[in-house]
Amino acid sequence: MSATIIDGKAVAAEVKADVAQKVAELKKRGITPCLAVILVGENPASVSYVTGKRKALEEAGMADRSVLLPENTTQEQLLSLIAELNADKSVHGILVQLPLPKHIDEDAVTSAIDPSKDVDGFHPVNVGCMLTGKKSFLPCTPNGIMTLLSHAGVKTDGAHAVVIGRSNIVGKPMAVLLSRKESNATVTLCHTGTKDLASFTRQADILIVASGHPNTVTKDMVKPGAAVIDVGVNRIPDASKKSGFRLVGDVDFEGVKEVASVITPVPGGVGPMTIAMLIYNTLESAAR
């Protein structure tokens, strides 16, 4: 048996096409959804993410108010820019690309964004709403994973879901979304303090891996027929590639696909969904 590979690019393309159609309808009413992505410094991974986000905005017919700031921008300057964008009624979403340079407090910056424009879903108000089941912007990667599971026909109701990783961006919100009434899964959250990780992963009907390390999960750790979602993006040296490296996830893909029922590849799995859900959230903000 070999797992069905979930094509994140194809699902993301469907979401983006639906968003583009709704953007066109809003434009007829004189509203152009607008996102401001703020990048401080020139971290290569961040530059690449921001480029992808701007391309998606253009394809969806949205307005792009991205701001690229130098590495030595002060926290006060950044907060002042956020205040301006908060007050600008033509801007519907604000996203500050993380990580920020060391001299800037990420929590202060995240909390400064108006919750009604926080399309990343990281503001404490939106996190609280997500936790209590109230309407809010959901974090893009976990929400994208929920969409992938739904598209792949993976039933969450009554399933045992195991999430590896407790980051505020993926692991914790993922555990919350899976355990909400509408998903109805029983969730185990594993992390660096978990003893005998494999004893938990082997119980998982749905296994979501966001550990940040290649080969965290190998074939012998997976229950036959489980749905496996790999959130990891790791660069490993590969002399056969022009760049000198290749991207792999946190799961041993070749091994695990022999026992799983469905699995996401890296690249081309979860990654494309994150940007698709970001423009979906920006559309929602403009529609509100």
Side-chain angles (χ1 to χ4, degrees):
M1 171 182 110
S2 189
T4 300
I5 293 168
I6 302 174
D7 186 346
K9 282 184 186 164
V11 181
E14 275 180 47
V15 173
K16 286 174 175 176
D18 184 48
V19 167
Q21 188 189 337
K22 289 178 174 144
V23 168
E25 286 162 23
L26 276 181
K27 280 179 158 178
K28 284 178 193 158
R29 290 167 36 200
I31 301 162
T32 301
C34 172
L35 175 65
V37 179
I38 304 170
L39 174 63
V40 184
E42 291 179 1
N43 174 323
S46 296
V47 170
S48 145
Y49 286 134
V50 169
T51 306
K53 286 166 183 171
R54 297 185 73 175
K55 184 166 173 266
L57 285 177
E58 188 186 338
E59 286 169 358
M62 293 183 171
D64 175 4
R65 286 282 294 278
S66 299
V67 186
L68 309 178
L69 298 171
E71 183 87 25
N72 62 357
T73 300
T74 66
Q75 183 165 314
E76 287 64 38
Q77 287 168 326
L78 180 54
L79 292 175
S80 161
L81 172 61
I82 290 170
E84 273 174 47
L85 293 168
N86 281 341
D88 187 336
K89 290 203 163 35
S90 70
V91 174
H92 302 104
I94 303 168
L95 182 154
V96 178
Q97 184 66 45
L98 302 178
L100 286 165
K102 294 274 186 283
H103 63 278
I104 298 176
D105 176 359
E106 286 186 3
D107 287 341
V109 170
T110 305
S111 300
I113 296 170
D114 180 337
S116 72
K117 296 187 179 191
D118 166 42
V119 287
D120 241 348
F122 293 162
H123 190 286
V125 167
N126 283 324
V127 174
C129 288
M130 173 184 66
L131 199 60
T132 52
K134 294 182 177 66
K135 192 154 176 59
S136 67
F137 292 120
L138 298 176
C140 300
T141 302
N143 196 23
I145 291 168
M146 296 304 294
T147 306
L148 286 178
L149 290 171
S150 166
H151 266 260
V154 176
K155 298 274 181 287
T156 56
D157 192 346
H160 182 188
V162 173
V163 179
I164 303 177
R166 55 179 160 189
S167 74
N168 293 333
I169 295 173
V170 182
K172 285 183 200 162
M174 196 72 245
V176 171
L177 293 184
L178 284 162
S179 61
R180 291 214 305 197
K181 263 275 171 57
E182 63 269 26
S183 309
N184 221 24
T186 299
V187 181
T188 301
L189 182 63
C190 299
H191 43 74
T192 48
T194 302
K195 291 184 167 67
D196 191 11
L197 180 64
S199 68
F200 295 99
T201 60
R202 286 191 199 107
Q203 298 174 45
D205 303 307
I206 299 168
L207 180 58
I208 293 168
V209 190
S211 61
H213 299 284
N215 293 325
T216 297
V217 170
T218 50
K219 178 180 175 181
D220 59 310
M221 296 169 71
V222 178
K223 174 180 175 177
V228 179
I229 305 289
D230 189 349
V231 189
V233 182
N234 306 289
R235 287 180 170 204
I236 62 165
D238 184 344
S240 71
K241 297 274 188 248
K242 202 165 87 176
S243 60
F245 67 84
R246 64 189 163 96
L247 295 179
V248 297
D250 294 344
V251 169
D252 170 23
F253 180 80
E254 292 304 324
V256 171
K257 75 174 187 193
E258 291 173 21
V259 288
S261 59
V262 297
I263 189 168
T264 56
V266 177
V270 173
M273 291 304 296
T274 302
I275 291 181
M277 300 325 281
L278 173 67
I279 63 165
Y280 171 81
N281 279 354
T282 304
L283 170 73
E284 286 282 291
S285 179
R288 284 180 199 177

